[in-house]
Amino acid sequence: MKKLKGCLYSASESNTKLPDLGPDLIMSEILPRLPAKCVGRAKKVCKEWLSYISSKEFVMMHCRHMCKGSRQKILSIGQESCFISSTGVDLVDEKTMITLPFHVRPSDVWILSSLNGLLCVCLRNTFEMLIWNPLIRSCINISDSKSYGFFKIYSDVVGLYIDSSNDYRVLHIKRGRFTVDVMAYSRRTSHWKRIPFFQKKALPY
């Protein structure tokens, strides 16, 4: 990394083009520091990059770099209380107790999925699904009168993702006895939309 900084500094001072950093420096020092989206795009550059980015060594390096920032947080949910703490060995182990924005015990909250600090959770007593940001104490109930947004523990799967327009979405896959329904909730529009899915009948239980 020092070599990289030195190259950039000397180039800016002399007002000339950047020197050739070389593939080894790019792969070992730059790629592991890129956001996940950029890493995904980098896989398409060449077969060598695809092989390198897909390796266990790269995954470990990328995770270490992503976890170095003090913005990383851990949410701990107990039977009666809920805490947020910072990660990192150099940080003081300070915990901040938070109050849940829904009227249930912490032990009655199921975490279904997480992405960039957002959580999709389910309330155990009603099976309602909610989008919750514990850091800013924000919560949105995404269940509605059309039975969308209700989670069944033994048959449903839920995930969070960001679409091509940078809209946060909740993907809800519901498996019936002979059918599979797929719905997506848009955080931008606050609406559910059914997604066309593979129509082959699901196997019976």
Side-chain angles (χ1 to χ4, degrees):
M1 194 63 188
K2 290 181 179 179
K3 179 181 177 183
L4 174 61
K5 289 180 179 178
C7 291
L8 295 176
Y9 178 77
S10 61
S12 61
E13 286 293 311
S14 59
N15 197 25
T16 59
K17 292 183 178 180
L18 285 174
D20 183 8
L21 299 178
D24 293 339
L25 188 62
I26 293 174
M27 292 172 69
S28 63
E29 297 293 347
I30 296 179
L31 289 182
R33 291 174 166 80
L34 294 178
K37 272 188 176 182
C38 296
V39 170
R41 294 173 186 150
K43 286 184 176 182
K44 301 177 181 179
V45 171
C46 62
K47 291 183 179 180
E48 184 182 5
W49 282 26
L50 173 61
S51 176
Y52 173 64
I53 292 173
S54 302
S55 67
K56 291 182 179 179
E57 292 76 15
F58 177 83
V59 172
M60 293 178 65
M61 281 195 298
H62 189 261
C63 287
R64 283 197 295 269
H65 285 300
M66 292 300 102
C67 293
K68 281 183 179 179
S70 60
R71 296 176 62 188
Q72 300 291 325
K73 304 292 182 182
I74 295 177
L75 176 68
S76 305
I77 299 180
Q79 291 291 326
E80 302 292 341
S81 58
C82 188
F83 296 91
I84 290 180
S85 55
S86 299
T87 62
V89 295
D90 298 329
L91 299 174
V92 179
D93 186 17
E94 295 181 353
K95 294 183 178 180
T96 302
M97 181 180 289
I98 62 173
T99 303
L100 296 179
F102 17 84
H103 301 292
V104 297
R105 296 172 57 189
S107 57
D108 290 330
V109 177
W110 293 333
I111 298 177
L112 306 179
S113 183
S114 65
L115 178 65
N116 295 343
L118 283 181
L119 302 177
C120 183
V121 302
C122 172
L123 305 184
R124 187 176 179 181
N125 57 341
T126 63
F127 302 103
E128 294 172 290
M129 288 164 50
L130 306 96
I131 298 177
W132 176 32
N133 187 331
L135 294 177
I136 61 174
R137 316 297 196 265
S138 171
C139 181
I140 302 172
N141 190 323
I142 61 175
S143 58
D144 62 18
S145 59
K146 296 180 180 179
S147 76
Y148 291 159
F150 290 89
F151 183 78
K152 292 183 179 180
I153 186 171
Y154 295 111
S155 59
D156 292 7
V157 177
V158 169
L160 282 166
Y161 70 98
I162 302 175
D163 67 11
S164 58
S165 65
N166 288 324
D167 181 17
Y168 281 82
R169 290 179 176 266
V170 178
L171 183 69
H172 187 188
I173 301 176
K174 303 179 68 174
R175 186 179 186 275
R177 187 168 179 80
F178 298 106
T179 60
V180 174
D181 291 328
V182 181
M183 280 79 65
Y185 177 86
S186 167
R187 188 163 176 250
R188 183 175 297 160
T189 65
S190 302
H191 287 97
W192 285 95
K193 182 180 180 181
R194 187 179 296 273
I195 298 177
F197 187 65
F198 178 64
Q199 293 299 318
K200 184 177 179 180
K201 290 185 177 180
L203 294 175
Y205 293 112

